[in-house]
């Protein structure tokens, strides 16, 4: 996620402002030309564009929430207890260590 962050910021910025530009131009064209078949098709496209922007924002919000939850769980993990290696807790040690390596 850290490696994708610069790319996602730029991509989302371009997508957001191009959607705002398309909405402004589309609204102007619909209001200037009146209600025509082209206007109805254009309004459908603009609605789809708004929906796509909304879904992208929701996806980023959920991704941020999951990232925060993972951080909270990792920081609240009882490190000294979980990472003590004894023969009795060898499998638990490996499981905790592999989970941390994945994170």
């Amino acid at each position: 996620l850290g490696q994708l962050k610069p790319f996602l910021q730029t991509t989302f910025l371009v997508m957001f402002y191009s959607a705002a530009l398309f909405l402004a131009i589309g609204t102007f064209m619909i209001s200037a030309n009146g209600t025509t078949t082209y206007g109805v098709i254009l309004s459908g496209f603009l609605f789809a564009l708004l929906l796509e922007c909304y879904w992208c924002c929701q996806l980023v919000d959920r991704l941020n929430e999951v990232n925060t939850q993972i951080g909270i769980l990792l920081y609240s993990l009882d490190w000294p207890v979980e990472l003590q290696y004894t023969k009795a807790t060898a499998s638990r040690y490996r499981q905790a260590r592999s989970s941390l390596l994945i994170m």
Side-chain angles (χ1 to χ4, degrees):
L1 186 61
Q3 292 174 350
L4 289 176
K5 195 172 186 176
F7 173 73
L8 291 176
Q9 286 176 343
T10 306
T11 304
F12 183 73
L13 188 67
V14 168
M15 187 182 90
F16 178 76
Y17 283 114
S18 65
L21 181 67
F22 283 141
L23 286 171
I25 292 171
T27 305
F28 174 74
M29 290 178 69
I30 290 172
S31 64
N33 293 335
T35 305
T36 61
T37 305
Y38 176 73
V40 172
I41 293 170
L42 185 62
S43 64
F45 170 74
L46 294 176
F47 178 75
L49 193 63
L50 276 174
L51 197 59
E52 183 181 358
C53 258
Y54 172 75
W55 282 338
C56 192
C57 289
Q58 287 297 319
L59 179 66
V60 169
D61 284 344
R62 287 181 185 169
L63 194 59
N64 284 334
E65 287 174 7
V66 168
N67 189 22
T68 303
Q69 289 173 353
I70 288 172
I72 290 170
L73 288 174
L74 283 176
Y75 285 119
S76 66
L77 184 66
D78 196 10
W79 296 91
V81 173
E82 292 292 326
L83 292 178
Q84 285 182 352
Y85 183 81
T86 61
K87 289 188 179 192
T89 61
S91 66
R92 186 176 170 101
Y93 173 82
R94 283 191 294 273
Q95 181 183 12
R97 188 177 167 118
S98 65
S99 296
L100 289 174
L101 286 173
I102 290 171
M103 296 301 155

Coordinates of all heavy atoms in Angstrom, one line a residue, residues 41-82:
I41 N -28.7 10.9 -23.1 CA -27.6 10.0 -23.1 C -26.4 10.6 -22.3 O -25.7 9.9 -21.5 CB -27.1 9.7 -24.5 CG1 -28.2 8.9 -25.2 CG2 -25.8 9.0 -24.5 CD1 -28.0 8.7 -26.7
L42 N -26.2 11.9 -22.4 CA -25.1 12.6 -21.7 C -25.4 12.6 -20.2 O -24.5 12.4 -19.4 CB -25.0 14.0 -22.2 CG -23.8 14.9 -21.7 CD1 -22.5 14.2 -22.0 CD2 -23.9 16.3 -22.2
S43 N -26.7 12.8 -19.8 CA -27.0 12.8 -18.4 C -26.8 11.4 -17.8 O -26.3 11.3 -16.7 CB -28.4 13.3 -18.1 OG -29.3 12.4 -18.7
G44 N -27.0 10.4 -18.6 CA -26.7 9.0 -18.1 C -25.3 8.8 -17.9 O -24.8 8.2 -16.9
F45 N -24.5 9.3 -18.9 CA -23.0 9.2 -18.7 C -22.5 10.0 -17.5 O -21.7 9.5 -16.8 CB -22.3 9.7 -20.0 CG -20.8 9.9 -19.9 CD1 -20.0 8.8 -19.8 CD2 -20.3 11.1 -19.7 CE1 -18.6 8.9 -19.7 CE2 -18.9 11.3 -19.6 CZ -18.1 10.2 -19.6
L46 N -23.1 11.1 -17.3 CA -22.6 11.9 -16.1 C -23.0 11.3 -14.8 O -22.2 11.3 -13.9 CB -23.2 13.3 -16.2 CG -22.7 14.2 -17.4 CD1 -23.5 15.5 -17.4 CD2 -21.3 14.4 -17.3
F47 N -24.2 10.6 -14.8 CA -24.6 9.9 -13.6 C -23.6 8.7 -13.4 O -23.2 8.5 -12.2 CB -26.0 9.4 -13.7 CG -26.5 8.6 -12.6 CD1 -26.8 9.2 -11.4 CD2 -26.6 7.2 -12.7 CE1 -27.2 8.5 -10.3 CE2 -27.0 6.5 -11.6 CZ -27.3 7.1 -10.4
A48 N -23.3 8.0 -14.4 CA -22.3 6.9 -14.3 C -21.0 7.4 -13.8 O -20.3 6.8 -13.0 CB -22.2 6.2 -15.6
L49 N -20.6 8.6 -14.2 CA -19.3 9.2 -13.8 C -19.3 9.5 -12.3 O -18.4 9.3 -11.6 CB -19.0 10.4 -14.7 CG -17.6 11.0 -14.6 CD1 -16.6 10.0 -15.1 CD2 -17.6 12.2 -15.5
L50 N -20.4 10.1 -11.9 CA -20.6 10.4 -10.5 C -20.6 9.2 -9.6 O -19.9 9.1 -8.6 CB -21.9 11.2 -10.3 CG -21.9 12.7 -10.5 CD1 -23.3 13.2 -10.4 CD2 -21.0 13.3 -9.5
L51 N -21.2 8.1 -10.1 CA -21.3 6.9 -9.4 C -19.9 6.2 -9.3 O -19.5 5.7 -8.2 CB -22.2 5.9 -10.1 CG -22.7 4.7 -9.3 CD1 -23.4 5.2 -8.0 CD2 -23.7 3.9 -10.1
E52 N -19.1 6.3 -10.3 CA -17.8 5.8 -10.3 C -16.9 6.5 -9.3 O -16.1 6.0 -8.6 CB -17.2 5.8 -11.7 CG -15.8 5.2 -11.8 CD -15.2 5.3 -13.2 OE1 -15.9 5.8 -14.1 OE2 -14.0 4.9 -13.4
C53 N -17.0 7.9 -9.3 CA -16.2 8.7 -8.4 C -16.6 8.3 -6.9 O -15.8 8.2 -6.0 CB -16.5 10.1 -8.6 SG -15.1 11.0 -9.5
Y54 N -17.9 8.2 -6.7 CA -18.4 7.8 -5.4 C -17.8 6.4 -4.9 O -17.4 6.3 -3.8 CB -19.9 7.8 -5.3 CG -20.5 7.3 -4.1 CD1 -20.5 8.0 -2.9 CD2 -21.0 6.0 -4.0 CE1 -21.0 7.5 -1.7 CE2 -21.5 5.5 -2.8 CZ -21.5 6.3 -1.7 OH -22.0 5.8 -0.5
W55 N -17.9 5.5 -5.8 CA -17.4 4.1 -5.5 C -15.9 4.2 -5.2 O -15.4 3.5 -4.3 CB -17.7 3.1 -6.6 CG -19.1 2.6 -6.6 CD1 -19.9 2.7 -5.5 CD2 -19.8 2.1 -7.7 NE1 -21.1 2.1 -5.9 CE2 -21.1 1.8 -7.2 CE3 -19.5 1.8 -9.0 CZ2 -22.0 1.2 -8.0 CZ3 -20.4 1.2 -9.8 CH2 -21.7 0.9 -9.3
C56 N -15.1 4.9 -6.0 CA -13.7 5.1 -5.8 C -13.4 5.7 -4.4 O -12.5 5.3 -3.7 CB -13.1 5.9 -6.9 SG -11.3 5.8 -6.9
C57 N -14.2 6.7 -4.0 CA -14.0 7.4 -2.7 C -14.3 6.4 -1.6 O -13.6 6.3 -0.6 CB -14.9 8.6 -2.6 SG -14.4 10.0 -3.6
Q58 N -15.4 5.6 -1.8 CA -15.7 4.6 -0.8 C -14.7 3.6 -0.6 O -14.3 3.1 0.5 CB -17.1 3.9 -1.1 CG -18.3 4.8 -0.9 CD -18.4 5.2 0.6 OE1 -18.2 4.4 1.5 NE2 -18.8 6.5 0.8
L59 N -14.1 3.1 -1.7 CA -13.0 2.1 -1.7 C -11.8 2.7 -1.0 O -11.2 2.0 -0.1 CB -12.7 1.7 -3.1 CG -11.5 0.7 -3.3 CD1 -12.0 -0.6 -2.7 CD2 -11.2 0.6 -4.7
V60 N -11.4 3.9 -1.2 CA -10.3 4.5 -0.5 C -10.6 4.6 1.0 O -9.7 4.3 1.8 CB -9.9 5.8 -1.2 CG1 -8.9 6.6 -0.3 CG2 -9.4 5.6 -2.6
D61 N -11.8 5.0 1.3 CA -12.2 5.2 2.7 C -12.1 3.8 3.4 O -11.6 3.7 4.5 CB -13.6 5.7 2.9 CG -13.6 7.2 2.6 OD1 -12.5 7.9 2.6 OD2 -14.7 7.8 2.4
R62 N -12.6 2.8 2.8 CA -12.6 1.4 3.4 C -11.1 0.9 3.5 O -10.8 0.3 4.5 CB -13.4 0.5 2.6 CG -14.9 0.7 2.7 CD -15.7 -0.3 2.0 NE -17.1 0.0 2.0 CZ -18.0 -0.5 1.3 NH1 -17.7 -1.4 0.4 NH2 -19.3 -0.2 1.4
L63 N -10.3 1.2 2.5 CA -8.9 0.8 2.6 C -8.2 1.5 3.7 O -7.4 0.9 4.4 CB -8.3 1.1 1.2 CG -6.9 0.5 0.9 CD1 -7.0 -1.0 1.0 CD2 -6.4 0.9 -0.4
N64 N -8.5 2.8 3.9 CA -7.9 3.5 5.0 C -8.4 3.0 6.4 O -7.6 2.9 7.3 CB -8.2 5.0 4.9 CG -7.4 5.7 3.9 OD1 -6.3 5.2 3.6 ND2 -7.9 6.8 3.3
E65 N -9.6 2.6 6.5 CA -10.2 2.0 7.7 C -9.5 0.7 8.0 O -9.1 0.4 9.2 CB -11.7 1.9 7.6 CG -12.4 3.1 7.7 CD -13.9 3.0 7.5 OE1 -14.4 1.8 7.4 OE2 -14.6 4.0 7.3
V66 N -9.4 -0.2 7.0 CA -8.7 -1.5 7.2 C -7.3 -1.3 7.6 O -6.8 -2.0 8.5 CB -8.9 -2.3 6.0 CG1 -8.0 -3.6 6.0 CG2 -10.3 -2.8 5.8
N67 N -6.6 -0.3 7.0 CA -5.2 0.0 7.3 C -5.1 0.4 8.8 O -4.2 -0.1 9.5 CB -4.7 1.0 6.4 CG -3.2 1.2 6.5 OD1 -2.5 0.4 7.0 ND2 -2.7 2.4 6.1
T68 N -6.0 1.2 9.2 CA -6.0 1.7 10.6 C -6.3 0.5 11.6 O -5.6 0.4 12.6 CB -7.0 2.8 10.8 OG1 -6.7 3.9 9.9 CG2 -7.0 3.3 12.2
Q69 N -7.2 -0.3 11.2 CA -7.6 -1.5 12.1 C -6.4 -2.4 12.2 O -6.1 -3.0 13.2 CB -8.8 -2.2 11.5 CG -10.1 -1.4 11.7 CD -11.2 -2.1 11.0 OE1 -11.1 -3.1 10.3 NE2 -12.4 -1.6 11.3
I70 N -5.7 -2.7 11.1 CA -4.5 -3.6 11.1 C -3.4 -3.0 12.0 O -2.8 -3.7 12.8 CB -4.0 -3.8 9.7 CG1 -4.9 -4.7 8.9 CG2 -2.6 -4.4 9.7 CD1 -4.6 -4.8 7.4
G71 N -3.2 -1.7 11.9 CA -2.2 -1.0 12.7 C -2.6 -1.1 14.2 O -1.7 -1.4 15.1
I72 N -3.9 -0.9 14.5 CA -4.3 -1.0 15.9 C -4.1 -2.4 16.5 O -3.6 -2.6 17.6 CB -5.8 -0.5 16.1 CG1 -5.9 1.0 15.9 CG2 -6.3 -0.9 17.4 CD1 -7.3 1.5 15.7
L73 N -4.5 -3.4 15.6 CA -4.3 -4.8 16.1 C -2.8 -5.2 16.3 O -2.5 -5.8 17.2 CB -4.9 -5.8 15.1 CG -6.5 -5.8 15.1 CD1 -7.0 -6.6 13.9 CD2 -7.0 -6.3 16.4
L74 N -2.0 -4.7 15.4 CA -0.6 -5.0 15.5 C 0.1 -4.3 16.7 O 0.9 -4.9 17.4 CB 0.2 -4.6 14.3 CG 0.1 -5.5 13.1 CD1 0.8 -4.9 11.9 CD2 0.6 -6.9 13.4
Y75 N -0.3 -3.1 17.0 CA 0.2 -2.4 18.1 C -0.3 -2.8 19.5 O 0.3 -2.7 20.5 CB 0.1 -0.9 18.0 CG 1.0 -0.3 17.0 CD1 0.5 0.4 15.8 CD2 2.4 -0.4 17.1 CE1 1.4 0.9 14.9 CE2 3.3 0.1 16.2 CZ 2.8 0.8 15.1 OH 3.6 1.3 14.1
S76 N -1.5 -3.4 19.4 CA -2.1 -3.9 20.7 C -1.7 -5.4 21.0 O -2.1 -5.9 22.0 CB -3.6 -3.8 20.7 OG -4.2 -4.6 19.7
L77 N -1.0 -6.0 20.0 CA -0.5 -7.4 20.2 C 0.4 -7.4 21.4 O 1.3 -6.6 21.5 CB 0.1 -7.9 18.9 CG 0.6 -9.3 18.9 CD1 -0.6 -10.3 19.0 CD2 1.4 -9.6 17.7
D78 N 0.3 -8.4 22.2 CA 1.2 -8.6 23.4 C 2.5 -9.2 22.9 O 2.6 -10.4 22.9 CB 0.5 -9.5 24.4 CG 1.1 -9.4 25.8 OD1 2.0 -8.5 25.9 OD2 0.8 -10.1 26.6
W79 N 3.4 -8.4 22.4 CA 4.6 -8.9 21.8 C 5.5 -9.8 22.6 O 5.9 -10.9 22.2 CB 5.5 -7.7 21.4 CG 4.9 -6.8 20.4 CD1 4.1 -5.7 20.6 CD2 5.0 -6.9 19.0 NE1 3.7 -5.1 19.5 CE2 4.2 -5.8 18.4 CE3 5.6 -7.8 18.1 CZ2 4.1 -5.6 17.1 CZ3 5.5 -7.6 16.8 CH2 4.7 -6.5 16.2
P80 N 5.8 -9.5 23.9 CA 6.6 -10.4 24.6 C 6.0 -11.7 24.9 O 6.7 -12.8 24.9 CB 6.9 -9.6 26.0 CG 6.6 -8.2 25.7 CD 5.5 -8.2 24.6
V81 N 4.7 -11.8 25.1 CA 4.1 -13.1 25.3 C 4.0 -13.9 24.0 O 4.2 -15.1 24.0 CB 2.7 -12.9 25.9 CG1 1.9 -14.2 26.1 CG2 2.8 -12.2 27.3
E82 N 3.6 -13.3 22.9 CA 3.4 -13.9 21.7 C 4.7 -14.4 21.0 O 4.7 -15.4 20.3 CB 2.7 -13.0 20.7 CG 1.3 -12.7 21.0 CD 0.3 -13.9 21.0 OE1 0.5 -14.8 20.1 OE2 -0.6 -14.0 21.8

